[in-house]
Amino acid sequence: MQLQVLNSPFNQEQAELLNRILPTLTESQKVWLSGFLAAAQFASVPGSGNVQVADRPVGITAPTVSKDVTILFGSQTGNAQGLAKTAGKKLEGEGFQVTIQSMSDFKANNLKKVQNLLIVASTHGEGDPPDNALSFHEFLHGKRAPKLENLRYSVLALGDSSYEFFCQTGKDFDTRLGELGGTRLYPRFDCDLDYDEPAAEWLAGVLNGLNEAVGGSAVPESEPAQASQLVESTYSRTNPFKAEVLENINLNGRGSNKETRHLELSLEGSGLTFEPGDSLGIYPANDPELVQLLLEEMNWDPEQQVTVSKKGEVLTLQDALLSHFEITTLTKPLLEKAAPLSANEKLQDLVAAGNEEQLKQYLEGRDLLDLVRDFTPWIGAAQEFISILRKMPSRLYSIASSLTANPEEVHLTIGAVRYEAHGRERKGVCSILASERLQPGDTVPVYIQHNENFKLPQNSVTPIIMVGPGTGAAPFRSFMQEREEIGAEGKSWMFFGDQHFVTDFLYQTEWQKWLKSGALTKMDVAFSRDTDEKVYVQHRMLEHSKELFEWLQEGAHLYICGDEKHMAHDVHTTLIEIIEKEGGMSREQAGEYLAEMQQQKRYQRDVY
């Protein structure tokens, strides 16, 4: 088991020191050390004085430790929820009684009764909790949070190290539970996008901690490798299916400022299934031109064999940069690891304490090619350099089709990303793969990402309101195909927006067909560049505020998909305004109304 800065609370120097010492310890030394650390932690609790475990009088046994374990997850896309379920199954196999709940479903007042708590939480946006963790996060940090002296807990935090507030939600929970008197049964792990191995290591450590607490046996050291199999089906996130491209069409008309690809992939023979609201993960390949520039800049031999994983997998340097490693995003951990490999003192200065703001500015919009050009000369071999790179993360896209309507197929709606930054043209890795290089007959590695937080109502009579501008229309195409197939009787209302009616009305003929058949009850559109004053979907919602509130009062489910920072925020604010106005409520009451809808799973968001 290797400690890393990203999966432990230690800094780089501490982690390296521990990794040198721990393998040399005997079993008896490890047992003694764990007891010593437990006693030291106990002694540090206020009011405990200098009591040591060894001082307990003979004949007095420790309090009975419960084998009940509560696992709470905060998940936006489904990753944290999937890991929570995996942890639950593993614990049940070890004889624990496990309760798994979304934080939004957990009655916070019951927290005082919990003895063993596992938190699996992702971080959303700029350090924010995911939607289904908001109420629990607020409760825990509020005045009503109880003292938790009898609580043992551990936190698995998911995040993306390219963001400033990496794993912030998990850090918040970990710190706050400690402040309330809880005891960590295992240290928090902060996982980057490639979370499988650290999540498995965390789970093995948690199992050891729980087993030791209840007097059971420790999990064998080989357990992390077994626990890393966090999947149930043949094809999965860790074993993607190579899906054949059936169609690749540009949805935008000639003259549009945008390029939106409609991708149809075959799932034949995969056994993969999904529901409307789920996402498809794609493992893309990097731009060959960017890889060639990197190889030339570093004067590397593209055919050199390099090791790319802990399991000893070997690829050529060119293939490793094409398909295995991320090269388009810079992160703070990457620059900190790169600094010792450069003879350029400016890089050491950039990552030094006190220069955080300059580092943040440098990371914005730059990639690996910028890094190697800006901080020459580089020392060390190619193997040493690529070993610090992050594994290529998958890209998640909301599925734009119904499996019922299109058996053994999955459709996607992907907007091509191109922009200028620091004197160079930049390209989205997966979106430009789709727009420029993927042809019918090609294959791409994919897996299904189930998302229980974005689902159609169980009762098809329930009205639905969908807000999805641009590529945010994707899951609602899936919703409509599904509702048409099952003959749903409930009302449906779609709000769509983009730049121009003539060139950017995605899936126009399909929406019109559903309106004509009655499968879609209402549709309102906003094309922001067709009028002098920009009009967006939230403006159309305000125009129909009375009717929209009536639908909500009838029990309608409301869905938002698309850009979080601007669109989703503006739509959320508009909803509160509508509820306040049409419901005759105060601003606070309107916010509570919307929060209650969220609690009832009547207000769901798939935002990015």
Side-chain angles (χ1 to χ4, degrees):
M1 182 190 304
Q2 285 286 309
L3 290 171
Q4 300 174 16
V5 174
L6 289 179
N7 68 14
S8 74
F10 303 109
N11 61 36
Q12 187 68 41
E13 184 180 354
Q14 291 170 325
E16 290 174 357
L17 185 61
L18 287 168
N19 283 330
R20 287 199 298 269
I21 293 174
L22 290 176
T24 68
L25 300 181
T26 65
E27 287 304 311
S28 60
Q29 287 173 326
K30 290 178 182 178
V31 171
W32 183 91
L33 184 60
S34 64
F36 173 80
L37 293 174
Q41 184 177 26
F42 178 77
S44 67
V45 176
S48 64
N50 295 316
V51 177
Q52 298 181 11
V53 174
D55 292 337
R56 187 181 297 124
V58 176
I60 298 180
T61 59
T64 303
V65 177
S66 171
K67 293 202 75 172
D68 293 332
V69 180
T70 298
I71 304 177
L72 300 181
F73 62 85
S75 182
Q76 195 74 33
T77 63
N79 286 334
Q81 184 170 0
L83 289 172
K85 289 182 176 179
T86 297
K89 289 181 180 178
K90 191 68 180 176
L91 289 171
E92 286 175 347
E94 294 286 324
F96 291 91
Q97 289 77 50
V98 182
T99 300
I100 305 172
Q101 281 187 296
S102 164
M103 291 179 184
S104 61
D105 294 335
F106 179 70
K107 292 183 179 179
N109 291 334
N110 289 337
L111 187 59
K112 187 75 174 175
K113 304 174 185 176
V114 176
Q115 288 190 29
N116 299 309
L117 175 66
L118 303 182
I119 295 279
V120 185
S122 63
T123 293
H124 196 55
E126 298 300 320
D128 300 320
D131 287 352
N132 64 2
L134 284 168
S135 57
F136 184 69
H137 187 273
E138 183 179 343
F139 169 82
L140 208 62
H141 288 80
K143 295 180 180 179
R144 294 173 54 227
K147 293 297 181 183
L148 301 171
E149 293 92 346
N150 296 321
L151 179 74
R152 284 174 298 278
Y153 72 94
S154 186
V155 175
L156 180 66
L158 304 184
D160 180 345
S161 62
S162 65
Y163 285 85
E164 181 179 3
F165 301 102
F166 175 57
C167 285
Q168 189 61 50
T169 300
K171 293 174 181 177
D172 288 347
F173 283 130
D174 185 50
T175 300
R176 185 56 176 160
L177 290 171
E179 291 172 349
L180 294 171
T183 301
R184 292 176 185 83
L185 63 87
Y186 196 66
R188 183 189 79 243
F189 267 37
D190 295 336
C191 301
D192 209 341
L193 298 176
D194 184 26
Y195 56 74
D196 298 279
E197 287 188 6
E201 190 175 329
W202 172 81
L203 180 54
V206 165
L207 272 168
N208 277 334
L210 287 168
N211 277 322
E212 288 171 7
V214 300
S217 57
V219 178
E221 287 190 11
S222 60
E223 190 64 24
Q226 299 168 10
S228 66
Q229 297 169 2
L230 300 173
V231 295
E232 296 180 51
S233 56
T234 304
Y235 294 106
S236 64
R237 184 178 183 275
T238 53
N239 181 33
F241 173 71
K242 291 187 177 180
E244 181 182 350
V245 178
L246 302 174
E247 293 282 354
N248 188 348
I249 303 166
N250 184 6
L251 294 176
N252 297 98
R254 185 175 298 174
S256 174
N257 295 323
K258 297 185 172 185
E259 181 183 355
T260 310
R261 309 303 299 193
H262 172 77
L263 210 61
E264 298 184 2
L265 305 173
S266 172
L267 297 179
E268 185 176 358
S270 69
L272 292 172
T273 61
F274 60 87
E275 296 178 349
D278 289 340
S279 297
L280 188 80
I282 296 181
Y283 285 103
N286 284 310
D287 184 347
E289 291 182 10
L290 180 59
V291 170
Q292 184 60 33
L293 288 171
L294 264 173
L295 291 168
E296 291 173 359
E297 189 69 32
M298 297 297 282
N299 196 27
W300 283 338
D301 176 7
E303 297 304 314
Q304 179 184 339
Q305 299 283 305
V306 289
T307 303
V308 297
S309 70
K310 292 180 181 178
K311 297 177 182 177
E313 182 184 359
V314 174
L315 294 173
T316 66
L317 190 53
Q318 185 171 38
D319 287 342
L321 292 172
L322 276 171
S323 62
H324 194 84
F325 291 114
E326 179 180 64
I327 62 174
T328 57
T329 302
L330 296 183
T331 67
K332 181 180 177 181
L334 173 61
L335 263 66
E336 289 174 338
K337 294 173 184 175
L341 303 180
S342 170
N344 192 323
E345 293 182 1
K346 291 181 180 179
L347 183 54
Q348 277 77 10
D349 292 340
L350 188 62
V351 298
N355 293 332
E356 288 78 12
E357 190 57 38
Q358 295 95 310
L359 176 58
K360 180 182 176 183
Q361 291 175 7
Y362 180 80
L363 295 174
E364 185 68 31
R366 287 186 169 88
D367 60 18
L368 193 63
L369 182 59
D370 293 307
L371 177 68
V372 300
R373 284 176 171 175
D374 292 343
F375 299 106
T376 56
W378 294 91
I379 55 180
Q383 177 69 66
E384 190 175 8
F385 191 94
I386 67 159
S387 296
I388 70 174
L389 300 180
R390 190 164 70 166
K391 186 178 176 182
M392 173 75 80
S394 64
R395 270 62 171 178
L396 286 178
Y397 294 97
S398 303
I399 292 174
S401 60
S402 159
L403 194 61
T404 310
N406 304 275
E408 297 194 310
E409 288 185 16
V410 60
H411 301 174
L412 302 176
T413 311
I414 303 177
V417 177
R418 299 181 179 90
Y419 60 97
E420 288 276 338
H422 308 292
R424 280 176 46 217
E425 182 184 4
R426 314 288 165 149
K427 299 179 179 181
V429 177
C430 196
S431 67
I432 300 306
L433 168 68
S435 67
E436 296 183 0
R437 303 198 300 279
L438 272 189
Q439 302 294 329
D442 292 343
T443 61
V444 61
V446 304
Y447 66 95
I448 299 297
Q449 176 74 50
H450 298 291
N451 186 0
E452 299 302 323
N453 305 311
F454 202 77
K455 283 287 175 283
L456 281 166
Q458 290 187 345
N459 188 344
S460 64
V461 176
T462 303
I464 63 171
I465 302 169
M466 302 165 284
V467 184
T471 56
F476 304 130
R477 182 177 185 263
S478 173
F479 279 18
M480 291 309 304
Q481 286 188 356
E482 182 78 6
R483 285 169 69 86
E484 183 180 45
E485 285 293 316
I486 66 175
E489 298 175 3
K491 297 187 296 181
S492 55
W493 191 350
M494 176 68 183
F495 289 90
F496 175 79
D498 215 312
Q499 291 189 355
H500 299 285
F501 172 84
V502 174
T503 58
D504 305 320
F505 196 165
L506 307 184
Y507 303 115
Q508 178 184 358
T509 57
E510 295 185 34
W511 299 118
Q512 291 173 334
K513 179 195 70 173
W514 286 318
L515 280 168
K516 186 175 182 180
S517 70
L520 180 62
T521 311
K522 286 175 63 69
M523 185 168 192
D524 283 281
V525 296
F527 293 99
S528 60
R529 305 302 193 273
D530 284 346
T531 54
D532 292 336
E533 187 174 347
K534 291 181 180 179
V535 178
Y536 298 108
V537 286
Q538 62 267 25
H539 299 128
R540 297 298 185 221
M541 294 169 69
L542 279 171
E543 290 173 6
H544 300 279
S545 63
K546 183 178 180 180
E547 186 177 4
L548 196 151
F549 184 68
E550 288 174 354
W551 279 49
L552 297 183
Q553 288 291 83
E554 292 170 11
H557 287 216
L558 192 148
Y559 302 88
I560 300 174
C561 182
D563 167 57
E564 182 198 29
K565 187 173 287 188
H566 301 293
M567 182 278 296
H569 176 269
D570 292 341
V571 169
H572 183 87
T573 303
T574 299
L575 282 169
I576 292 177
E577 291 176 11
I578 290 172
I579 295 165
E580 180 183 9
K581 173 189 172 185
E582 303 298 342
M585 304 179 195
S586 67
R587 192 78 170 181
E588 184 179 358
Q589 288 172 328
E592 291 172 354
Y593 183 100
L594 203 53
E596 181 63 24
M597 282 184 59
Q598 212 159 20
Q599 188 75 21
Q600 297 170 354
K601 295 182 170 56
R602 289 179 50 215
Y603 176 37
Q604 300 181 26
R605 308 193 311 162
D606 179 8
V607 294
Y608 36 86

